[in-house]
Amino acid sequence: MRSWLLIIAILFITVVTAGAGVQAQGVSNGLVVVPDSSREKFSDIGRRAHTNHVLLAHPQLDGSVPLGLTPEEIREAYNLPAYSLGQSAGSQVIAIVDAYHYPTAVADFNAFSQAFGLPQETGSGTVLQVVYATGDEPSYNAGWSQESALDIQWAHAMAPSAKIVLVEAASNSFADLLDAVEVASAITV
């Protein structure tokens, strides 16, 4: 179990940079923005993890309709059974390790869950729990918050009855992330 948790955590710790040839945050080719969290500095090599995502800013979309695949379509693509609210589907614990604090994690998680008919966190910590790996709230980083959102929301979409635990590392240093993996590996059902 512990080795699987480590493998899962490593999958979420992305160490390569995104978008070769794409400019830095705020500067783009008109449609693509690369968050600073996805840009690796030479001094970071072997020391810090980075997110690996870019943002598509499409001027013709007004944000009123979600773009992309729904959780149900993704579940179907992976040949997972359909889900309806109240049904048991994946009732274990999924621990996700990401760097930095995601201050709107519960609110964003609940908005996603409501939009797609998934269970919401009511404040009891039975659907989503946020854990600070060091015991203290880490500092905020927008790029890592985007990564955390992607991780917790889509893990929830794939296993709606599983408890999602977001373990927030103090930083994106490998030392802090591996400490957070140790905290995550001690989490039980």
Side-chain angles (χ1 to χ4, degrees):
M1 170 65 176
R2 192 176 177 135
S3 62
W4 278 106
L5 185 57
L6 180 59
I7 291 168
I8 291 169
I10 289 172
L11 290 174
F12 284 103
I13 302 172
T14 308
V15 295
V16 295
T17 59
V22 179
Q23 302 281 320
Q25 184 167 350
V27 181
S28 68
N29 68 1
L31 297 177
V32 177
V33 177
V34 180
D36 286 340
S37 62
S38 289
R39 297 186 46 86
E40 184 173 33
K41 298 177 189 126
F42 182 76
S43 62
D44 290 345
I45 296 172
R47 293 186 178 97
R48 296 192 175 275
H50 299 276
T51 62
N52 189 16
H53 65 271
V54 295
L55 304 174
L56 177 61
H58 202 290
Q60 297 159 339
L61 299 175
D62 64 5
S64 62
V65 178
L67 181 65
L69 299 176
T70 67
E72 190 57 40
E73 291 167 326
I74 296 291
R75 291 179 65 75
E76 186 177 316
Y78 283 94
N79 202 27
L80 296 172
Y83 175 78
S84 59
L85 197 57
Q87 176 185 17
S88 178
S91 59
Q92 298 296 316
V93 173
I94 300 172
I96 296 172
V97 172
D98 277 319
Y100 300 105
H101 181 51
Y102 175 19
T104 58
V106 174
D108 295 348
F109 180 89
N110 282 341
F112 178 88
S113 297
Q114 182 178 18
F116 295 109
L118 302 170
Q120 295 181 46
E121 174 53 50
T122 61
S124 62
T126 58
V127 179
L128 174 66
Q129 179 183 1
V130 178
V131 174
Y132 307 143
T134 64
D136 294 322
E137 181 180 296
S139 60
Y140 169 75
N141 179 285
W144 278 96
S145 287
Q146 293 163 355
E147 181 67 30
S148 295
L150 175 75
D151 295 346
I152 64 174
Q153 291 167 11
W154 285 95
H156 186 49
M158 294 300 95
S161 299
K163 176 180 180 174
I164 308 297
V165 180
L166 173 60
V167 181
E168 296 179 340
S171 76
N172 64 329
S173 75
F174 288 135
D176 285 343
L177 288 163
L178 291 173
D179 286 345
V181 168
E182 286 296 317
V183 170
S185 68
I187 294 171
T188 59
V189 179

